[in-house]
Amino acid sequence: MLTEEEKKEIQEEIKQYPYPAVACIDALKIVQNHRGWVSDESVRDIAQLLSISNEEVDSVATFYSRIYRKPVGRNVILICDSVSCMILGYESLYNYISKKIGVSFGGTTSDGRFTLLPISCLGDCDNAPVMMINNDHFNRLTIEKIDELLDRYK
Amino acid sequence: MERPLTKHIKPGSVSLNMKDYIQLGGYGNLQKALKNIAPAEVTALVKASNLLGRGGAGFPTGVKWSLIPMDGDKSTPKYLVCNADEMEPGTFKDRYLLEGNPHQLIEGMIISAYAIQAGKAYIFLRWAYKKAEKILREAIADAYKSGYLGKNILGSGFNLDLYVHSSAGRYMCGEETALLNSLEGKRAMPRTKPPFPAISGLFGRPTVVNNVETLSWISHIVEHGAEWFKGLSLTPTGGTKLFGVSGRVKNPGTWELPLGISMRELLEEHAGGMTPGHKFRGALPGGASTDFLIEDHLDVKLDFSTVAAAGSRLGTGTMIVLDDKTCPVAFIHNVEKFFALESCGWCTPCREGLPWVEKMLASIEEGTGKMEYLDLLNFNAKFMGPGNTFCAHAPGAAEPLQSGLKYFHDDFVKHITDKKCPWR
């Protein structure tokens, strides 16, 4: 069941479009914003609200990299693995973080604190290497900065 | 040297707000256009300026606008879409404009929408640009409050609503027609062309899609005219361009410079040359989907036609430098892995070719590659080339691959014969 708040936010998005199905991506993002990820049940609820099939919603949900169809941790670490960050050594950052929190790309820590994912170019290549934690952007990263940075996210 | 797009952006400082923008004469060009210039004349002006699209393809902006049918039923909605889905690896120029001077883009968009008589406009923004999203939403709200957006703008009778659509991630969204599908709430798959978006675009209506940097020019062209714009470049094309450099250079960054400066000047004077202890081996001049240029090309002028004549593309104008401490095979593997992951899977050369290429490159890098892979990689580069695919994704991926195989042939061979990466 979508909450009243989620429904209200989705209806608000629908208003700017010629028909409800256009709000599909917005709806997925709204649900994910409230719940961290998009479950099968949420896919069905969104489909019903937008008057389209479950499959249509799922085809959209599974296409976009930033829609999570599996539960993620409380904090999502996104390390840029694109070429400029590769040249400036993202791999050593990844190795350090991966070892520190004990999961590889795609993994979530057992306490649910972190999920570690790669992301393609974050558009800040002159300040490589770069990563995001949740909606926060960090650049010119060094291993020395990582411990303090991760400590901020509980 | 004039820097019209960036002269009011101070690196590292806050973005130019409404009050400061207006104090600098902002929205004056919108008033001028709405009062004194007919929509068709705005299009004619942009056409005369020869403003080439700054998103990577370099298509003439005025020509794109002139394809919009203007004699149809006035009640037929038309759309203007700003492509702010900057996701090409190595590209960071639009972020600079979005965060630094949002009203320059908004004013440009209102004038552009007026030219094609669009009633709704969207900024399609990439997911990761959270700071830009906040800045844009605030700037748009301010523009509404001051009567620059909404109904009867400045008493002209022209109406425009402007929305920000924050994406959900996928490089494919930057492709013009895939972007429109995404904006309609669908998977970002490219559409068959023709019909082109100017005839059947967003929701099947006439639509213009332009890049952030392109739209940021419009108010300046209205203010100073087409001849002024043409005089800004060193080559006949017209205008300055945002150039960027990333990789092992002393001073990576982005700069607004005249089209036609040499690659050497960009690398040495602006990017400060290579980081001590590193040698230049080559560069992708305009993002990941452009062919390598090497030392022989350092005097190539950076403009659309001159870079094309050297066998590459100006693309987005943001250069990724390959140095001698970075393995070229690993570099190319990284880029091809990106393209393989981001393929939408619609057409065969892209869906099948890219993962195949990625696997072969991975095994060469790991020391398990075979000599016959080199022919297979070249075969795939041709098979993914222009004319064989549905959109420009795979042909773009073929560019660094085919040129890399040519310029770094000996490095590929050494990986295979030594059965290891010499850089590891």
Side-chain angles (χ1 to χ4, degrees), chain B residues 45-58:
Chain B
L45 179 66
V46 172
K47 213 170 175 177
S49 76
N50 189 40
L51 169 62
L52 302 183
R54 269 30 176 183

Side-chain angles (χ1 to χ4, degrees), chain B residues 7-8 23 44 63 67 91 128 141 147 153 163 165 188 194 216 232 235 260 295 329 334 345 408 414 422:
Chain B
K7 68 179 165 198
H8 300 304
Q23 218 151 46
V63 174
L67 300 174
T91 302
I153 297 169
Y163 304 96
H165 172 93
S216 293
L232 293 173
T235 38
E295 207 159 7
V329 176
N334 180 288
F408 309 114
K414 199 162 165 44

Side-chain angles (χ1 to χ4, degrees), chain A residues 25 60-67, chain B residues 168-170 173 182 186-188:
Chain A
I25 297 168
V60 172
T62 52
F63 185 87
Y64 291 95
S65 327
R66 299 276 68 80
I67 301 295
Chain B
R170 262 332 259 278
C173 295
S182 186
K186 302 171 188 161
R187 291 165 80 102

Side-chain angles (χ1 to χ4, degrees), chain B residues 242-372:
Chain B
L242 288 190
F243 290 100
V245 179
S246 66
R248 294 271 182 201
V249 292
K250 272 187 212 150
N251 178 30
T254 180
W255 308 272
E256 183 181 4
L257 300 165
L259 273 171
I261 63 148
S262 73
M263 191 163 153
R264 189 187 302 278
E265 188 185 335
L266 177 64
L267 284 172
E268 288 174 8
E269 287 184 28
H270 300 284
M274 300 301 291
T275 311
H278 296 75
K279 282 199 188 97
F280 176 86
R281 288 207 71 197
L284 304 180
S289 66
T290 59
D291 285 274
F292 277 101
L293 294 178
I294 55 168
E295 207 159 7
D296 298 353
H297 299 114
L298 283 174
D299 291 311
V300 166
K301 290 183 167 67
L302 295 173
D303 191 350
F304 294 96
S305 57
T306 44
V307 176
S312 185
R313 289 189 308 120
L314 183 65
T316 61
T318 39
M319 189 174 288
I320 312 163
V321 174
L322 170 67
D323 62 84
D324 65 334
K325 300 272 172 23
T326 300
C327 170
V329 176
F331 182 115
I332 297 164
H333 174 245
N334 180 288
V335 169
E336 298 304 323
K337 189 176 173 187
F338 165 80
F339 285 112
L341 282 167
E342 293 295 335
S343 169
C344 79
W346 183 251
C347 68
T348 311
C350 189
R351 183 186 61 244
E352 305 295 330
L354 280 169
W356 189 8
V357 162
E358 191 274 318
K359 271 185 203 145
M360 283 190 282
L361 289 169
S363 74
I364 294 173
E365 177 63 6
E366 284 157 16
T368 55
K370 298 174 184 158
M371 213 52 98
E372 70 217 50

Side-chain angles (χ1 to χ4, degrees), chain B residues 7 24-25 29 32 45 218-225 228:
Chain B
K7 68 179 165 198
L24 292 162
N29 299 314
K32 179 179 161 184
L45 179 66
I218 303 303
S219 83
H220 299 284
I221 292 172
V222 165
E223 182 173 0
H224 301 290
W228 165 84

Side-chain angles (χ1 to χ4, degrees), chain A residues 16-19 21-22 24-26 29 59-60 62-67 78 81-84 86-91 119-126 132 134-135 137 140, chain B residues 87 89-92 95 120 122 126-130 163 165-170 173 182-188 203 246 248 252-253 320-321 323 326 330-331 334 338 342:
Chain A
Q16 61 165 301
Y17 300 124
Y19 49 92
V22 181
C24 186
I25 297 168
D26 304 295
K29 287 175 76 172
S59 81
V60 172
T62 52
F63 185 87
Y64 291 95
S65 327
R66 299 276 68 80
I67 301 295
L78 298 160
D81 67 349
S82 285
V83 65
S84 301
M86 183 198 94
I87 296 170
L88 274 295
Y90 91 81
E91 280 169 76
I119 188 166
S120 50
C121 188
L122 285 169
D124 194 15
C125 319
D126 50 341
M132 286 178 83
N134 305 333
N135 288 338
H137 180 92
R140 297 195 177 238
Chain B
M87 243 185 108
T91 302
F92 47 95
R95 178 202 278 271
K120 275 191 184 182
Y122 291 91
R126 75 163 297 189
W127 172 89
Y129 284 6
K130 301 293 177 192
Y163 304 96
H165 172 93
S166 161
S167 174
R170 262 332 259 278
C173 295
S182 186
L183 207 45
E184 291 181 11
K186 302 171 188 161
R187 291 165 80 102
F203 308 120
S246 66
R248 294 271 182 201
I320 312 163
V321 174
D323 62 84
T326 300
F331 182 115
N334 180 288
F338 165 80
E342 293 295 335

